[in-house]
Amino acid sequence: MDYINEKLLEFNNYLKGRKVAIIGLGVSNIPLIDYLHDYKSNVTIFDGREIDNIEKCTLDKIVNYGMKFYFGKNYLENLIGFDIIFRSPSCLPTTPELIEEAKRGAIITTEVEMVIELAPCLVIGVTGSDGKTTTTTLIHEILKEDGYTCYLGGNIGIPLFTKIKNMLPEDIIILELSSFQLMNMKISPKISVITNITPNHLNVHSDMEEYIDAKKNIFKHQDKEGLLILNYDNEITRKCFEEAPGKAIYFSSKNKIPDGYIYDSEDGKIKICENGLRKHVFDTRNMKLRGVHNFENACSAIIATKDLVKKETIDKVLSEFKGVEHRLELIKETKNRIKWYNDSVSSSPTRTMAGLNAFALKNIILIAGGYDKNLDYTVLGKPIVDNCKALILLGQTSNKIEKAVKQELKKTKKDLEIYKCKSLYQTVQTANQLAKNGDIVLFSPASASFDMFKNFAERGEIFKQYVKEIVK
């Protein structure tokens, strides 16, 4: 007998004739247009862009379906009287118009929240300020290698809501979840990972407390069967242990915790600790990924999958996994053994610190700077001075980074060459002139991309293009 998802059937019946709003025509919401039309919802589209900036194929579909739409400035003025509202991650639930609609009884949700609510299978969720994409991808690769039918979504992969009808109870969903997606979420994945929590997106969130509270929603609604995987070395995530409704497990790379999983830097091995006893699990010297932060990501992936797959599968994937694009991605090695790395995903100081610490030699030429998210850059001074032979800066945060480095140089009485550039192209030219035999050129901005680029991926692609053009 074919499986029938009763929860999905009930929701689909609920949609018929309902007033439904879609806020934001981003990647996750566009598939909803067809879906809601098929189930005869009364749909209205809202987007802050002007109509000329809406993709023609999407606009044609909206018009052909006879859906109302409001675009451009003050686009939410007509958000009144809806039964259910699918918000994009960029439209926070703290938006005044959403608050008013919620007071009137509207259901405020997101595509990814409905996936967790209606999927018939196990959901694994990963969040954190750093490392969540690599961890999510590792978990997905391990489960896929062991033969599971897996669905990868959230911040990466594809929108999954319209795929729920194809899912079976034995399948597994793996989601990378941002703070924007988690805000006000009323349901949590059964297995949840928080890689770490450090200041980020403070140009959008009202304060650090709001950011932390959003992250906590990944486990707050678990039941006693839930599993929460936490970074012991991060003060914020360590405190989440006591709040977990179900089981919680720590991982650590800095502490010999009595229970949990550790990366032991003394012998390079990941170990399970139970009642103070340690047992070897995996040798990180077999991994292609380097850096302590990636060994922590491996710990998370092991804990999340250990009860679902064979150990041999985990060992195979961890040994063969080459990493995710734009994350310490080796893009070129010259005849003089100069290595060029693209770490464009590093949009915060802590990410860049992890990148710097991934290399044993202290001969790094760092290219950094970008859009200012109101983060504290003083923490970058010491790791840059300790690890770099030169610093090349661009973008809005260049002055903040320079100030942090100069304060550290004054304190330590050390010297470091600092250059300022007006374009990414110029930074590659400058780095190419400075690099000598065996040096590492690391593009790790410690900042968002929005002052010059659409996103970190576009920034990384352009950096790689410039390296291929300039570096011989």
Side-chain angles (χ1 to χ4, degrees), residues 172-423:
I172 300 180
I173 297 169
I174 309 97
L175 300 172
E176 179 191 313
L177 298 168
S178 70
S179 59
F180 306 136
Q181 290 164 320
L182 286 165
M183 275 189 82
N184 283 28
M185 193 177 276
K186 301 297 189 294
I187 190 169
S188 300
K190 185 172 183 180
I191 299 176
S192 297
V193 180
I194 308 181
T195 58
N196 47 56
I197 298 178
T198 57
N200 207 347
H201 302 301
L202 298 186
N203 59 320
V204 179
H205 287 288
S206 60
D207 52 30
M208 187 63 182
E209 184 178 359
E210 180 182 280
Y211 177 62
I212 293 170
D213 286 344
K215 292 291 191 185
K216 286 182 176 180
N217 279 331
I218 200 168
F219 71 86
K220 277 288 187 71
H221 309 288
Q222 288 181 332
D223 58 25
K224 63 181 181 180
E225 303 298 321
L227 172 62
L228 175 61
I229 301 163
L230 295 167
N231 185 345
Y232 183 87
D233 303 331
N234 181 272
E235 183 180 358
I236 298 170
T237 56
R238 184 167 64 246
K239 290 178 180 177
C240 293
F241 191 93
E242 300 300 325
E243 299 179 50
K247 183 180 180 181
I249 299 179
Y250 283 129
F251 65 89
S252 174
S253 64
K254 297 177 182 175
N255 296 276
K256 301 295 194 294
I257 53 179
D259 292 286
Y261 282 68
I262 65 166
Y263 161 68
D264 190 338
S265 59
E266 293 177 9
D267 60 10
K269 293 177 180 177
I270 292 173
K271 301 170 182 177
I272 180 173
C273 307
E274 293 178 305
N275 302 317
L277 299 175
R278 299 191 193 103
K279 178 183 174 185
H280 162 72
V281 175
F282 181 78
D283 192 335
T284 62
R285 288 172 292 188
N286 296 327
M287 290 177 65
K288 290 182 169 63
L289 289 184
R290 305 314 301 157
V292 173
H293 62 297
N294 279 320
F295 304 150
E296 292 175 346
N297 295 336
C299 284
S300 298
I302 291 170
I303 301 169
T305 59
K306 65 184 177 64
D307 294 329
L308 299 168
V309 304
K310 299 181 290 293
K311 183 183 183 303
E312 293 77 11
T313 303
I314 296 175
D315 293 349
K316 181 176 187 292
V317 173
L318 290 182
S319 299
E320 295 177 354
F321 187 69
K322 294 180 180 179
V324 183
E325 193 177 19
H326 309 301
R327 291 155 178 83
L328 285 182
E329 175 190 9
L330 177 62
I331 53 175
K332 191 177 184 73
E333 182 172 0
T334 69
K335 293 177 181 178
N336 297 331
R337 295 180 294 106
I338 299 168
K339 293 181 179 179
W340 290 73
Y341 285 88
N342 165 33
D343 195 35
S344 179
V345 74
S346 291
S347 59
S348 67
T350 52
R351 281 180 179 268
T352 295
M353 289 163 65
L356 290 170
N357 291 329
F359 301 98
L361 299 177
K362 311 302 181 185
N363 58 339
I364 298 172
I365 298 169
L366 175 66
I367 301 173
Y371 178 76
D372 193 350
K373 295 192 290 183
N374 298 327
L375 303 181
D376 177 17
Y377 283 87
T378 57
V379 295
L380 259 184
K382 184 174 178 10
I384 289 177
V385 170
D386 288 348
N387 292 280
C388 298
K389 62 174 282 187
L391 173 63
I392 303 170
L393 296 169
L394 80 162
Q396 294 176 1
T397 59
S398 58
N399 289 337
K400 284 187 174 182
I401 299 171
E402 182 183 32
K403 182 179 178 181
V405 170
K406 285 187 172 179
Q407 285 176 344
E408 183 65 20
L409 290 172
K410 185 177 180 181
K411 188 191 305 181
T412 58
K413 295 182 169 52
K414 292 181 178 179
D415 291 318
L416 180 70
E417 297 176 81
I418 301 176
Y419 301 84
K420 283 190 171 181
C421 297
K422 294 182 178 179
S423 69

